[in-house]
Each structure stands twice: as structure tokens, then as C-alpha cells.
């Protein structure tokens, strides 16, 4: 309700020409366009003593405080059974190759084509009359106009499938060369047809077409053989054979997959490419118990199948301190340096509030640098001052002091 009332008031103001007071507009403009000149004194790492090496107790405390951030998500290791590459083993009967060739022969080469003109007639008599006039050299358009028939249909270089009337197509393609116009009975009516061009189809000999047909049949047979092998594997595992025994008996590949996260990222070895890209298979693996098998799934983007057995589960946990000791020490030293730098900055700030910025900067032998351009309230993309810091600066009174962490100081 409140929003609706506000909307109505705004509409009323906009449609009746109501204007805000000039003082209000001037205040808004002054607020938005306000600029503040800045003087900055750097508090750099040279002003602090570089942290030394942490004690074992300090490092352990730091490690414990970082456990949540350092925790590596749960990972799982598996054994994959992969069924693929059966093409090289598949056997193809040459009789099947010959049979496929004969069946595909009409589509293997270039189909026969015909060019002809067709004038649909209301009766056999009219169709013959049209054919006679066409045979004498009259144009199809002129004959159709004279006899008040529909516009002639012209076919240019079409194969048989492009002719909608199958009875007309049969008669036209039975003629092997152009000839005089004829009256032909179609499926629904009579027509006068004049063939103007004929091109015979071409069919590659068996020896040329056979290799591609043989390979096609080989792939089909390989798919059948692979499906049988996976079915036999599944039955054998169900009957009590181990995954390794059942896979070996069927000639299936067995592959160990290193620990991998639910998102497909590896833990300590390069990821198995199948598990890395097959999210559905990983989901099944992360829902399984140790020793369980996933469902048989089609390999993504290739011919074959895969099934996985969950071998082990590594719970989510931070890596052992000993494994990350060196980088953890470096992070501890960086953290301690930032603490020391912050403390030094606060000390300089306190001094500046007592004696002024120039005196405080002189005490640490650092310059006071004037910013070349005044700071805008809506600063964007400044490498040193973020919008959040700018808001803090604009809250301070003239001559006020603010400390802030410069990016990438340590």
C-alpha cells in the first residue's frame, strides 16, 4: 500500500508539472559532486621488523584456526570397468555385406533424373489432345491457355522421389530418353507429359562400396558383442564373481581411478578422464557405499559402456600439518607482518591526531603526498581507494584522519 501511494504521488507530480524546490536540487547536486583533496602518508613493510620463524606451538595454533579453510572436501577412489574398442574384434559375414549392398544399391550412387513438363487434364481425351499439340511444337503455356487448363508444372533435373504422383513418376522414369508428349493416367487424373531431358543413375560396383558397408556392419556387430559382454559381466558379478574376474573373462578393460572430488577435481593424481567429465557417474559413486557398483552407463561422446566400483572414501579433512608445513609457515609470517603493520599504522594515526600528519610522518621518515586529483564520492576503479573506503573518507570532517590497508602491500 505504501509503495502504491508513493507511486501515485510521483505520477501526480510528473503529470502536473510540480517541481522540487531549488534548494533541494542544489543540495543533491552538491552532495553528488563533492570532492575531497587528500594527503597520504605510506606505512610500508620497511617500518616493521620482518617476522621470524614460528614455534611449533604457534604453527599448530595457526593451523587449528585455519582448519575450516584448509579442509579438502570428501574424495572417493574407484575401479572402472570399461567396455569399448570391440570393433577390432567383431567378425562380419561377407554374405551380409553383399545383402546390404543390394538393399542400398538405389541410394549408394547418383539417382536417375528427369526433366519434363506436365499439364493436368480433366479426361483422357483432353490429355491426348494436349499431347498432340505439344508434339507439334506448341508451347505448354500456350496449350494450357488455349484449352483453359491449369498452369503447366515444370520439373527440372528431379529424381523419382520428387514427383508426387507415383504412377506418373513410374511412366516418366521408365523412359530412358526425351521423346514426344504422351497422355498418362496418374493416381487421380490424366495428364499430358513431355520429357525434355533424361539422365541415368550411377551405382558404384560392389568392390568400391563394400569397405564402407563392411565397416558399418562391423560397428553394428561390435555394439552387439559389447552389449552381450556387459550383460555377461553383470550376471557374473551377480553370481558372486569379483569385478576383476568377471571383467577379465569378457575382455573388458579394468582401470584404477585415483581419488576424485564430487566436482571432478583430482586429489593427488591426474583425474580419470571418464570420471572427470561424467557428472552422473560421479553422482552415483558419491551415493554408493564402499564395494558397491554403479549402474552400467554409456560412455559420454564415444561408443562403449562403463561401470565403477567404489573402493575407498576419504573423509573431508584438512591435509596433515606436515604436508603443508612450508606454505603454512609462509602464510603465518605474512599474517604476522600484516598485524605488525596494522599496529604501526594505528600508532602513527594516534601520533598524527596529537601532533598533526606532517609531524607524525616526519617521525617515521615518510613523506606526506598530496593526491593529484581530489577524491570523488562515487569513485570507481581506483587502484588505491575502494568505494567502501571512499565512503569512510567522506564521513570524516575536514582535516580528519583515516587509516586503511593499501592493496598488495604484503
Amino acid at each position: 500500500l505504501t509503495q502504491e501511494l508513493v507511486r501515485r504521488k510521483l505520477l501526480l507530480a510528473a503529470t502536473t508539472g510540480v517541481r522540487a524546490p531549488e534548494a533541494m536540487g542544489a543540495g543533491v547536486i552538491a552532495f553528488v559532486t563533492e570532492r575531497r583533496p587528500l594527503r597520504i602518508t605510506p606505512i610500508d613493510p620497511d617500518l616493521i621488523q620482518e617476522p621470524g620463524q614460528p614455534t611449533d606451538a604457534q604453527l599448530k595454533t595457526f593451523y587449528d584456526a585455519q582448519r575450516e579453510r584448509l579442509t579438502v572436501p570428501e574424495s572417493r577412489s574407484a575401479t572402472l570397468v570399461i567396455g569399448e574398442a570391440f570393433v577390432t574384434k567383431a567378425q562380419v559375414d561377407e554374405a551380409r555385406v553383399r545383402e546390404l549392398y543390394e538393399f542400398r544399391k538405389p541410394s549408394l550412387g547418383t539417382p536417375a533424373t528427369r526433366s519434363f513438363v506436365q499439364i493436368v487434364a480433366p479426361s483422357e481425351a483432353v490429355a491426348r489432345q494436349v499431347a498432340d499439340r505439344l508434339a507439334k511444337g506448341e508451347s505448354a503455356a500456350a496449350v494450357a491457355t488455349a484449352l483453359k487448363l491449369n498452369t503447366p508444372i515444370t520439373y527440372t533435373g528431379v529424381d523419382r522421389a520428387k514427383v508426387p504422383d507415383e504412377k506418373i513418376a513410374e511412366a516418366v522414369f521408365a523412359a530412358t530418353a526425351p521423346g514426344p508428349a504422351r497422355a498418362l493416367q496418374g493416381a487421380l487424373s490424366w495428364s499430358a507429359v513431355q520429357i525434355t531431358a533424361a539422365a541415368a543413375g550411377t551405382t558404384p560396383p560392389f568392390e568400391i562400396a563394400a569397405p564402407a558397408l563392411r565397416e558399418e556392419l562391423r560397428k553394428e556387430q561390435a555394439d552387439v558383442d559389447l552389449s552381450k559382454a556387459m550383460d555377461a559381466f553383470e550376471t557374473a558379478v551377480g553370481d558372486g564373481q569379483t569385478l576383476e574376474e568377471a571383467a577379465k573373462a569378457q575382455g573388458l578393460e579394468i582401470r584404477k581411478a585415483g581419488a576424485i572430488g564430487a566436482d571432478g577435481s583430482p586429489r593427488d593424481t591426474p583425474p580419470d578422464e571418464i570420471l572427470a567429465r561424467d557428472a552422473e557417474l560421479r553422482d552415483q559413486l558419491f551415493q554408493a557405499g564402499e564395494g558397491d557398483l554403479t549402474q552400467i552407463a554409456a560412455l559420454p561422446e564415444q561408443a562403449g559402456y562403463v561401470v565403477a566400483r567404489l573402493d575407498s572414501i576419504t573423509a573431508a579433512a584438512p591435509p596433515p600439518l606436515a604436508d603443508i608445513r612450508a606454505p603454512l609457515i609462509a602464510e603465518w609470517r605474512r599474517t604476522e607482518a600484516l598485524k605488525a603493520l596494522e599496529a604501526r599504522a594505528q600508532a602513527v594515526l594516534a601520533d598524527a591526531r596529537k601532533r598533526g600528519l606532517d609531524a607524525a610522518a616526519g617521525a617515521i621518515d615518510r613523506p606526506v603526498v598530496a593526491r593529484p586529483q581530489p577524491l570523488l564520492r562515487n569513485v570507481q576503479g581506483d587502484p588505491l581507494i575502494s568505494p567502501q573506503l571512499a565512503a569512510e573518507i567522506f564521513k570524516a570532517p575536514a582535516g580528519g584522519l583515516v587509516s586503511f590497508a593499501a592493496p598488495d602491500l604484503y
Side-chain angles (χ1 to χ4, degrees):
L1 180 59
T2 301
Q3 291 179 343
E4 178 61 21
L5 290 174
V6 171
R7 188 183 72 84
R8 289 182 180 180
K9 288 181 178 181
L10 288 174
L11 284 175
L12 179 62
T15 55
T16 58
V18 174
R19 299 178 61 186
E22 290 187 6
M24 181 183 294
V28 172
I29 293 174
F31 178 83
V32 172
T33 60
E34 181 183 357
R35 290 169 168 76
R36 294 203 172 188
L38 300 180
R39 298 168 70 226
I40 301 173
T41 293
I43 313 297
D44 54 78
D46 290 340
L47 292 173
I48 63 170
Q49 183 177 358
E50 187 175 347
Q53 295 294 315
T55 64
D56 287 346
Q58 287 175 321
L59 192 61
K60 179 64 166 59
T61 300
F62 185 70
Y63 171 78
D64 289 340
Q66 305 294 321
R67 288 182 71 90
E68 183 176 350
R69 182 179 64 82
L70 295 172
T71 294
V72 177
E74 177 186 307
S75 61
R76 301 196 168 200
S77 300
T79 298
L80 305 185
V81 172
I82 304 164
E84 60 178 346
F86 269 48
V87 175
T88 57
K89 304 176 185 178
Q91 300 297 318
V92 177
D93 187 347
E94 282 300 304
R96 290 187 61 204
V97 180
R98 173 66 71 174
E99 181 181 349
L100 183 60
Y101 171 77
E102 295 297 333
F103 177 76
R104 295 268 187 86
K105 188 183 289 187
S107 62
L108 288 176
T110 303
T113 61
R114 297 290 184 270
S115 297
F116 63 96
V117 62
Q118 176 185 2
I119 299 177
V120 179
S123 64
E124 179 182 4
V126 175
R128 292 186 180 281
Q129 183 182 0
V130 173
D132 290 341
R133 295 182 65 164
L134 290 176
K136 292 176 181 178
E138 290 188 56
S139 70
V143 173
T145 300
L147 298 178
K148 298 181 180 181
L149 301 175
N150 290 335
T151 302
I153 306 170
T154 302
Y155 296 89
T156 303
V158 297
D159 59 46
R160 183 165 177 165
K162 300 293 194 306
V163 182
D165 191 318
E166 177 55 32
K167 293 186 70 175
I168 296 294
E170 182 179 1
V172 167
F173 278 84
T176 58
R182 293 183 295 160
L184 299 176
Q185 186 174 13
L188 299 175
S189 64
W190 281 82
S191 293
V193 174
Q194 185 172 35
I195 301 173
T196 56
T202 60
T203 301
F206 176 77
E207 293 74 16
I208 299 298
L213 298 176
R214 192 176 293 114
E215 185 63 20
E216 180 181 336
L217 290 173
R218 194 186 307 280
K219 289 180 180 179
E220 289 180 3
Q221 187 61 46
D223 288 343
V224 172
D225 294 345
L226 181 56
S227 295
K228 289 180 179 178
M230 295 303 293
D231 289 344
F233 162 81
E234 192 172 23
T235 300
V237 170
D239 290 342
Q241 285 191 20
T242 66
L243 175 141
E244 288 80 5
E245 291 171 343
K248 186 176 180 181
Q250 299 302 323
L252 303 172
E253 179 186 354
I254 304 171
R255 190 159 81 198
K256 290 287 185 181
I260 194 169
D263 61 353
S265 59
R267 290 297 175 258
D268 51 8
T269 58
D272 183 272
E273 61 179 15
I274 293 177
L275 282 178
R277 69 174 185 261
D278 193 335
E280 185 175 345
L281 184 62
R282 287 198 310 274
D283 288 345
Q284 290 188 43
L285 203 60
F286 273 77
Q287 293 170 12
E290 287 193 24
D292 291 347
L293 299 182
T294 65
Q295 296 178 354
I296 295 176
L299 284 172
E301 302 177 5
Q302 63 191 89
Y305 301 92
V306 62
V307 61
R309 179 189 64 201
L310 177 60
D311 292 337
S312 64
I313 301 174
T314 302
L321 192 155
D323 291 352
I324 59 170
R325 186 179 183 84
L328 199 63
I329 288 175
E331 188 171 348
W332 180 88
R333 295 183 66 199
R334 177 179 178 276
T335 301
E336 292 300 307
L338 288 173
K339 289 179 182 178
L341 201 59
E342 170 66 16
R344 189 62 187 272
Q346 291 302 316
V348 173
L349 180 62
D351 188 24
R353 284 172 175 162
K354 290 179 182 179
R355 302 191 299 145
L357 182 60
D358 292 287
I364 60 172
D365 194 24
R366 290 296 181 270
V368 178
V369 181
R371 180 182 169 91
Q373 298 293 332
L375 179 67
L376 292 172
R377 183 181 293 274
N378 61 342
V379 61
Q380 296 289 337
D382 192 295
L384 187 63
I385 299 177
S386 68
Q388 293 78 12
L389 175 58
E392 292 299 315
I393 292 173
F394 276 86
K395 288 179 183 177
L401 296 167
V402 176
S403 69
F404 62 93
D408 301 326
L409 248 186
Y410 216 96

